[in-house]
Amino acid sequence: MQETRQNKIARLLQKELSMIFQQQTRAMHGVMVSVTRTKISPDLSICTAYLSVFPSEKGEEILANINTNAKSIRFELGTRIKNQLRIIPELRFFIDDSLDYIERIDELLKK
């Protein structure tokens, strides 16, 4: 039962975070940030979000920028989901490099 609730909240957070990043990256032409996966702790206090950044060369720079602005992102998330969650979880962001890994495997297989 608890795992079902965690999955629902993780999907909600993924959707809302992707909308926030979509709004924020509109001003930065040529950069796209998408939320590929979110995980929520059993006590719903920590949300781990995995981000995919295009172009991938700017990934570390954008991740550092997101981590410095994590409090404002959490505040924006709180204004969006204040009626669904009592406590807004702490946000942790990581780069999801699975697409780069798949691309590298395809490149090696073509050789």
Side-chain angles (χ1 to χ4, degrees):
M1 182 73 179
Q2 182 68 17
E3 190 170 313
T4 305
R5 178 166 166 76
Q6 286 175 321
N7 291 336
K8 285 182 181 180
I9 291 174
R11 283 194 305 262
L12 172 71
L13 293 173
Q14 180 178 0
K15 179 182 160 227
E16 293 299 331
L17 283 172
S18 64
M19 295 296 287
I20 291 170
F21 288 132
Q22 184 179 12
Q23 280 183 338
Q24 291 182 353
T25 57
R26 271 198 192 125
M28 301 169 52
H29 297 288
V31 176
M32 186 173 72
V33 176
S34 59
V35 182
T36 57
R37 186 177 59 196
T38 55
K39 291 183 180 178
I40 189 94
S41 64
D43 62 350
L44 307 178
S45 65
I46 299 172
C47 174
T48 305
Y50 295 92
L51 308 175
S52 177
V53 179
F54 180 81
S56 60
E57 297 84 35
K58 294 185 176 183
E60 293 300 321
E61 174 188 344
I62 290 177
L63 182 65
N65 188 10
I66 288 172
N67 282 328
T68 57
N69 295 322
K71 288 185 180 181
S72 63
I73 294 170
R74 184 179 180 200
F75 177 78
E76 176 70 25
L77 181 66
T79 58
R80 290 172 177 255
I81 63 171
K82 63 184 173 189
N83 295 328
Q84 289 137 347
L85 288 178
R86 186 181 310 160
I87 298 173
I88 307 305
E90 176 187 336
L91 300 174
R92 296 183 182 167
F93 299 103
F94 296 99
I95 292 288
D96 184 13
D97 57 356
S98 61
L99 294 176
D100 294 334
Y101 183 71
I102 291 170
E103 185 177 313
R104 175 81 173 128
I105 289 175
D106 286 341
E107 185 179 303
L108 291 174
L109 288 174
K110 287 180 182 177
K111 288 184 179 180

